[in-house]
Each structure stands twice: as C-alpha cells, then as structure tokens.
Amino acid sequence: MTVTTDVRTLTDRHAVVTGASRGIGAAIAEALAREGASLTLMGRDVAALSQRAAALTARHHVRALPVACDVSDADAVARAFDASREALGDAHVLVANAGEAASATAGDTSRALWDRMLAVNLTGAFLCVQAVLPAMRAARFGRVVLVSSTSALKGYPRTAAYAAAKAGLLGLARALAAEVARDGVTVNAVCPGYTETDMARAAIDNLVAAGRTPEEARRALERLNPRHALVTPEEVAATVVWLCAPSSGAITGQAVAVAAGEVM
Ligand SMILES: NC(=O)c1ccc[n+]([C@@H]2O[C@H](COP(=O)([O-])OP(=O)(O)OC[C@H]3O[C@@H](n4cnc5c(N)ncnc54)[C@H](OP(=O)(O)O)[C@@H]3O)[C@@H](O)[C@H]2O)c1
C-alpha cells in the first residue's frame, strides 16, 4: 500500500496577495499555491486575475479567488476583504505587493504624484494589514509580508515619492512586528532590486527616452548589482514563501533584500 503525505508547508492556510495579476505578485501567488495555500488574488485587472486563479487551481489543486480591488480606495479594500473572508475564511497570510512606480525628480514631483505614490504603495498596504490583523491575532498565527524595494535602503535619483513610500513600509513592518510579536504574527518586508517585470521594463523605457539604446539601458540596470543580472520574480517569491513558512516564526521586523548583492 502506498501512503502519500502532503508535505506542503501552507496546506489549510489562506493567503491574500495584492497585485497578483502579473509580475512579482503573480510569482508569489504561484509559489504559495505550490505550498498548498488557498489564494485570494487582488488587483484591478479582474480578467487577468481570473485567468491566474483558474491556472493555479488547475496546477496546484488549491482554491483561488479573484477579487477586484484598487488598494488606494479604502472602501474597495474593505469590500474586497469581506468577499475574500466570506469565500475562503480569515486570511493567515497577507502579501501586500500591489505597487506603482513613477519616476520624477523631487522638484518635478507634483503633489498629486506624491499623494498617489503614498496612497498605492504605503497607505494601500496599511489598509490591507488592518483588514487581516485582528483575525490573525485571534488565531494566534499570521504572516504579513510587505513588498518594499531597495529604494527604501539606498538612494536612486528620480524616485523621491516612490522611495519615501517604500521606506515607510519598513517603518510599518518594524512597528507592527513589535506590536504583534506575542500573538504568533510576524511582519516582514522584502526589498527586491530591479526585477524582470513590467515595472523594470518601464524603467528601461525611461532610460531609452533619455537617449540610451535599449541594450545600454538594460545593462545599466543589470550592472547595479554585482551579479550583473536582474532579479527574477521567482527569486522574490521564494523569499516570501520562506518568510511565510510555519518554521519562520522567529523572523520578524526584518527588511530582507532580494537584490543579488546590490545592497550589503
Ligand atoms: N520590478 C521591480 O524592479 C521592483 C523592484 C522593487 C520593488 N518592486 C515592487 O514589487 C511590487 C510588484 O511590482 P512588479 O514589478 O511586479 O510590477 P508590475 O509588473 O507593474 O505589477 C504591479 C502589480 O500591482 C498591481 N497594482 C498596481 N496598482 C494597484 C492598485 N492601485 N491597486 C491594486 N493593485 C495594483 C497591478 O495589478 P493591476 O494592474 O491588475 O491592478 C500588478 O499586479 C511593487 O510593490 C513594486 O513596487 C518591484
């Protein structure tokens, strides 16, 4: 007789991933599903989320729910988490990954651009955390991962508003980690360097618009780290899965760079 045991680390856990329609968030959702978690996929592009959800269910035999949510809209966040809870129960894992990067010098940063960068990248994550934390504390288990950036750890020109928001996530992670440490809930940030997604492709396009060839522009980003290659979404996802593992309970309040040595 063959006895098969499910050795996946997140079976019976429900994970919410924001910005799961593509890029790093899609890779994180895939990696969490591979570990057996049921998934709520949030973002604005419901068609893309629905396709991803169906693919995750087919590949990993997990439940996956697409939910429309603009994280910069507090009412939309409240509605999305209500829908998620109703369908899949309270969340055990939150990966606040939704983000947007706009490039401008500090002088050219309008108040509207500043407000938008903070609303999507920082306040959006905070609203999602508030939506899940009470149930995590009551359950005495939770894993919160905030997707920050190396821009929170070092200075890149033309990123003031985005960098301020991403640095804010580190403060949020540390303060929350201290607040909920005795409740079995960990709160960490991951800080990817330039990662092979639409966001990095937009950064390459900006350099091309400023006069570089596409090859030069790509090489400029690759050479920011000593590996001379962009980070992959799967590398970020693997770090997130590690932070979400039941065995990672002593890792909290950290900013983990996934940046191929760009920051040391
Ligand atoms: N790629 C990099 O080089 C890099 C480096 C460091 C950190 N990061 C961070 O990693 C995270 C993921 O970025 P990525 O590279 O995967 O970028 P991406 O390919 O542009 O994807 C961004 C994701 O965020 C979602 N999103 C954007 N605005 C949203 C909003 N207002 N509400 C809900 N969802 C929203 C998008 O989904 P919808 O369009 O469906 O809403 C999409 O799924 C971001 O927080 C980013 O700042 C990226």
Side-chain angles (χ1 to χ4, degrees):
M1 187 176 75
T2 310
V3 178
T4 53
T5 312
D6 192 346
V7 294
R8 300 184 294 177
T9 57
L10 293 171
T11 308
D12 299 329
R13 301 296 190 192
H14 169 204
V16 177
V17 181
T18 69
S21 57
R22 55 195 152 89
I24 292 172
I28 291 170
E30 182 84 37
L32 292 171
R34 196 177 297 121
E35 289 301 325
S38 56
L39 267 306
T40 298
L41 310 180
M42 292 188 188
R44 295 163 304 174
D45 183 345
V46 184
L49 293 173
S50 299
Q51 273 185 6
R52 295 233 170 250
L56 292 181
T57 298
R59 275 199 288 276
H60 304 293
H61 312 291
V62 296
R63 297 176 72 192
L65 178 76
V67 177
C69 178
D70 180 335
V71 296
S72 68
D73 176 342
D75 292 338
V77 172
R79 282 194 302 274
F81 278 87
D82 283 349
S84 164
R85 202 175 296 112
E86 197 164 308
L88 295 176
D90 289 323
H92 307 100
V93 171
L94 168 68
V95 185
N97 162 79
E100 186 184 330
S103 176
T105 63
D108 286 343
T109 297
S110 64
R111 178 59 194 263
L113 180 64
W114 175 267
D115 287 347
R116 171 140 195 87
M117 285 299 100
L118 266 68
V120 175
N121 292 298
L122 180 55
T123 309
F126 174 64
L127 293 172
C128 295
V129 166
Q130 274 198 323
V132 298
L133 217 48
M136 286 183 179
R137 296 182 82 169
R140 305 200 65 75
F141 178 86
R143 297 283 182 263
V144 176
V145 181
L146 309 177
V147 179
S148 178
S149 163
T150 45
S151 65
L153 304 173
K154 64 175 273 194
Y156 302 98
R158 304 177 60 85
T159 62
Y162 176 76
K166 291 298 188 182
L169 288 177
L170 303 192
L172 176 61
R174 291 175 183 132
L176 273 175
E179 214 168 282
V180 299
R182 288 162 63 88
D183 299 326
V185 180
T186 66
V187 187
N188 291 289
V190 292
C191 299
Y194 277 101
T195 304
E196 189 75 65
T197 69
D198 290 348
M199 194 177 277
R201 287 186 276 278
I204 289 172
D205 289 346
N206 285 340
L207 293 174
V208 171
R212 308 228 196 157
T213 67
E215 294 71 28
E216 286 168 350
R218 190 181 173 82
R219 210 172 309 124
L221 296 193
E222 289 173 344
R223 287 186 177 261
L224 285 170
N225 74 62
R227 188 172 71 174
H228 291 180
L230 299 188
V231 175
T232 67
E234 291 72 26
E235 288 174 317
V236 182
T239 305
V240 171
V241 166
W242 166 62
L243 290 170
C244 293
S247 56
S248 296
I251 306 167
T252 195
Q254 301 303 302
V256 181
V258 187
E262 183 179 352
V263 288
M264 297 191 189

